Amino acid sequence: MTALLQAQGLEVAIAGKRVCRDLDLAIERGQCWGMLGRNGIGKTTLLHTLAGLRAPLAGAIFLEDVILDTLPRHRIAQSIGVLFQHSEDPFPGTVLETALIGRHPYLIAWQWEGVEDRRRAWQALAAVGMEEMMDRQVATLSGGERQRLAIATLLVQEPRLMLLDEPANHLDLCHQITILDLLASQARDEGRALLMIGHDLNLTARYCDHVLLLFGEGETLCGEVAEVLTETNLERLYGCAVRCVEVDGRRLFVAG
Amino acid sequence: MRAPWLLAGLLLLSVASLIFALAAGSVTIAWSELWAFMSGGEESLGSSLVLELRLPRALAAFATGGMLALAGALMQVLLRNPLADPYILGISGGAAVGALLTMLLGAGGIWLTGSAFGGALLSMLLVFALAHGRGSWTATRLLLTGVVVAAGWGALISLILSLSPDAQLRGMLFWLMGDLSHADDPWPGLLVLVLGLALSLPLARNLNVLARGELQAGALGVAVAPLRVGVYLIASLLTAVAVTTAGSVGFVGLVVPHLLRLVIGNDQRLLLPASALLGGSLLTLADTLARTVAAPQQLPVGVVTALLGVPVFLYLLSRSHR
């Protein structure tokens, strides 16, 4: 089996700053990856690069052994879905209409969404607990509801690899768990994969089996959670003291 | 499905507005007579009035309104700014400078049309090249470039107006306000309107996605850069032909897409054809009023569209919950 997404010798920079240098990364089916690093270190830039939305300085990205930028955009969108940090809606639109745009990569130019597409959208909205709000205007939603709608749109897209930029943003404690449970189970049980950026070390430790740390100056470290998420690495990552404690057999991280 | 009904209703409105435009005027023509003229009855003063004067002008008004509303809807999505109108990127300014210079030199007819169209194309290419620059082609950069170029044209227009002899000022002001009294050839406009619709309709769902942001559109499989260039060219061409036909008729391009959005939402697959039909009907009606209300005096049609449109729009806005 080949890796779902593979990066070889990847070099990414933004505004003259190196995000990563000579990065080798292989995301396999069923894996959940976390990406950690300080503010402004380039996590989002790297995520967009992996999604094929911006070009790397050097190196190559393979989607199931095919070089990513040789594929047409709609083919990439059938395999890779992205949850962005911000959503824009300058024009009016309902919750259902917004979720339905997840079907865009599967429809040809003149085609309208059919019954099956609506069923998928309804299912995804139900999965994030928004089935009662289908006709609401997006502009009237709260921050957390918008985030859940964006996640539902991503589920409607049914990508094999989900690239998530701070998926727990704006979500209350309970929704953080139900939504991340949902996404992680999709990745693990349905042979897909996810990579999520986050600042909550405990959520990362709870849901991810692999992590990628961005130290800045192009330095990176990736590997399995148990080996990489250590006090020493995290202190170096954030430049402040981090303690690891064990509660009910689960590792918890607190700023020291 | 509400969509077919809405489009059928707008189609009906379009036909009604055209019939009204043919019947109304200094000589009122009865319905029965109108039918006889259209189906090729014997020639008379009435038939030549309808077929040679009113019909071309009504069709030109319809085409112009349709092109402006369609261009406005496209520009609003392209710039992701509900305040955008077809003129926001300076196309009408370029056309106006071309037209006014020709008037100042005392030329008219084909020269006027040609230089207005040339000015519009020049402005379109200028904004396109400047906005491209070396960096990326963001909506904000395009908007700012266009607005500044438009301001530059505005200054040139004022300069030309202040240098022009009084005898020509009235014609120039009418052109600037939008005027269909010289629009006697509707075919280029109708052709470009149909072409614009045919080119933009297959892109409509892509535009729905683009309205939610460039990155989001890219992630959902839209090839953003070619789409933006294509939409820019289509909207610019529509605007250039509209301005060449009738001068800078305001209001239609900004408000018609908005009016429809209040009623049917922002699905471009419906919004684009509906905008073309409603824009066309609105301008046909407005132009008929412009030439009948104060007859024999003719009003610039741009004044009528604004006087009619503003209260209607404000009323709908205050009632809407969107």
Side-chain angles (χ1 to χ4, degrees):
Chain A
M1 265 307 237
T2 56
L4 189 52
L5 190 83
Q6 196 169 6
Q8 281 178 2
L10 198 66
E11 182 166 351
V12 174
I14 184 165
K17 279 193 324 176
R18 222 31 111 242
V19 175
C20 62
R21 185 186 298 123
D22 215 12
L23 171 68
D24 293 324
L25 184 76
I27 301 177
E28 312 270 351
R29 288 172 191 77
Q31 290 182 343
C32 290
W33 280 74
M35 195 199 308
L36 300 172
R38 264 175 274 175
N39 291 149
I41 211 84
K43 300 183 292 296
T44 298
T45 307
L46 180 55
L47 189 94
H48 290 179
T49 309
L50 291 175
L53 294 172
R54 57 176 287 150
L57 275 184
I61 301 166
F62 299 89
L63 175 64
E64 293 175 321
D65 279 350
V66 183
I67 296 180
L68 192 62
D69 60 11
T70 60
L71 290 168
R73 275 249 56 104
H74 74 275
R75 276 279 298 107
I76 298 178
Q78 290 173 0
S79 295
I80 302 180
V82 186
L83 176 74
F84 293 95
Q85 242 183 85
H86 307 285
S87 60
E88 295 177 54
D89 37 48
F91 299 107
T94 66
V95 166
L96 180 63
E97 282 168 359
T98 305
L100 270 174
I101 66 166
R103 296 306 295 166
H104 183 77
Y106 300 96
L107 301 174
I108 55 169
W110 289 99
Q111 202 177 348
W112 286 63
E113 298 87 358
V115 179
E116 175 62 19
D117 298 311
R118 273 163 206 286
R119 194 189 58 77
R120 284 169 202 252
W122 188 86
Q123 226 172 26
L125 286 170
V128 298
M130 292 187 75
E131 69 272 34
E132 310 273 292
M133 301 183 197
M134 297 222 278
D135 296 322
R136 276 268 293 276
Q137 281 294 312
V138 176
T140 66
L141 298 179
S142 76
E145 287 167 340
R146 273 168 196 243
Q147 182 74 352
R148 277 149 61 202
L149 174 57
I151 288 166
T153 308
L154 183 75
L155 294 177
V156 173
Q157 193 184 343
E158 299 188 320
R160 271 167 290 172
L161 174 64
M162 296 179 275
L163 299 175
L164 311 166
D165 201 342
E166 306 200 22
N169 253 5
H170 301 295
L171 298 180
D172 60 49
L173 193 63
C174 172
H175 275 116
Q176 287 183 8
I177 300 304
T178 54
I179 297 288
L180 287 179
D181 272 345
L182 173 70
L183 292 171
S185 75
Q186 290 236 336
R188 293 220 168 88
D189 308 336
E190 298 180 27
R192 305 191 207 178
L194 68 79
L195 168 70
M196 65 179 195
I197 295 176
H199 290 294
D200 188 328
L201 295 173
N202 298 314
L203 286 178
T204 307
R206 178 167 176 166
Y207 288 104
C208 298
D209 37 57
H210 290 72
V211 279
L212 167 63
L213 307 185
L214 301 186
F215 294 105
E217 310 291 335
E219 278 190 63
T220 54
L221 178 66
C222 62
E224 289 188 24
V225 163
E227 290 164 24
V228 176
L229 276 197
T230 60
E231 287 181 1
T232 331
N233 281 340
L234 290 172
E235 284 180 2
R236 182 176 161 220
L237 186 70
Y238 291 113
C240 74
V242 177
R243 292 275 320 277
C244 175
V245 291
E246 206 155 299
V247 177
D248 296 342
R250 191 177 268 163
R251 289 200 302 159
L252 291 182
F253 297 88
V254 287
Chain B
M1 283 287 274
R2 291 185 337 177
W5 289 109
L6 179 95
L7 290 180
L10 285 173
L11 206 60
L12 215 62
L13 177 70
S14 306
V15 174
S17 71
L18 285 171
I19 292 177
F20 177 59
L22 295 184
S26 52
V27 181
T28 313
I29 311 273
W31 284 69
S32 50
E33 280 181 286
L34 211 55
W35 182 249
F37 297 154
M38 296 305 286
S39 52
E42 63 192 86
E43 264 186 54
S44 66
L45 191 65
S47 77
S48 65
L49 176 76
V50 167
L51 294 179
E52 283 161 34
L53 290 176
R54 287 187 192 165
L55 184 63
R57 180 164 172 170
L59 288 176
F62 188 86
T64 306
M67 286 188 288
L68 286 177
L70 180 58
L74 291 173
M75 285 284 186
Q76 286 168 6
V77 178
L78 178 68
L79 298 169
R80 261 176 300 125
N81 189 329
L83 288 178
D85 77 357
Y87 305 147
I88 197 158
L89 298 183
I91 290 175
S92 69
V97 168
L100 297 196
L101 277 178
T102 320
M103 290 187 195
L104 186 63
L105 296 174
I110 185 78
W111 289 102
L112 186 68
T113 319
S115 57
F117 191 67
L121 287 186
L122 176 71
S123 187
M124 166 179 141
L125 294 175
L126 196 65
V127 170
F128 188 76
L130 289 175
H132 229 33
R134 282 180 305 162
S136 58
W137 211 62
T138 63
T140 318
R141 194 182 160 114
L142 181 62
L143 183 61
L144 279 175
T145 312
V147 167
V148 169
V149 169
W153 291 126
L156 280 178
I157 291 169
S158 306
L159 182 70
I160 297 172
L161 286 177
S162 58
L163 292 178
S164 300
D166 287 352
Q168 278 155 1
L169 270 180
R170 192 184 156 78
M172 289 180 171
L173 286 178
F174 261 63
W175 196 96
L176 287 175
M177 286 185 279
D179 180 24
L180 278 154
S181 55
H182 301 292
D184 43 18
D185 184 9
W187 297 113
L190 286 173
L191 199 74
V192 170
L193 176 61
V194 170
L195 191 72
L197 265 180
L199 287 174
S200 54
L201 278 180
L203 304 176
R205 213 183 57 248
N206 283 307
L207 291 172
N208 285 344
V209 185
L210 186 67
R212 295 167 195 275
E214 277 156 46
L215 280 171
Q216 176 75 77
L220 281 167
V222 175
V224 173
L227 176 69
R228 289 168 50 91
V229 173
V231 169
Y232 175 76
L233 292 179
I234 296 171
S236 300
L237 186 65
L238 288 164
T239 311
V241 176
V243 173
T244 308
T245 313
S248 329
V249 180
F251 203 75
V252 178
L254 172 68
V255 162
V256 167
H258 267 293
L259 258 172
L260 287 165
R261 246 183 233 119
L262 292 175
V263 184
I264 60 174
N266 195 41
D267 189 340
Q268 311 299 320
R269 292 170 291 186
L270 265 182
L271 191 69
L272 296 181
S275 290
L277 289 174
L278 185 63
S281 312
L282 187 71
L283 198 60
T284 310
L285 289 174
D287 183 53
T288 310
L289 290 177
R291 64 183 169 79
T292 51
V293 164
Q297 174 85 16
Q298 298 215 1
L299 305 174
V301 67
V303 175
V304 180
T305 52
L307 284 179
L308 279 179
V310 168
V312 172
F313 182 71
L314 289 177
Y315 171 71
L316 274 175
L317 192 64
S318 70
R319 282 197 32 180
S320 110
H321 301 289
R322 283 179 190 269

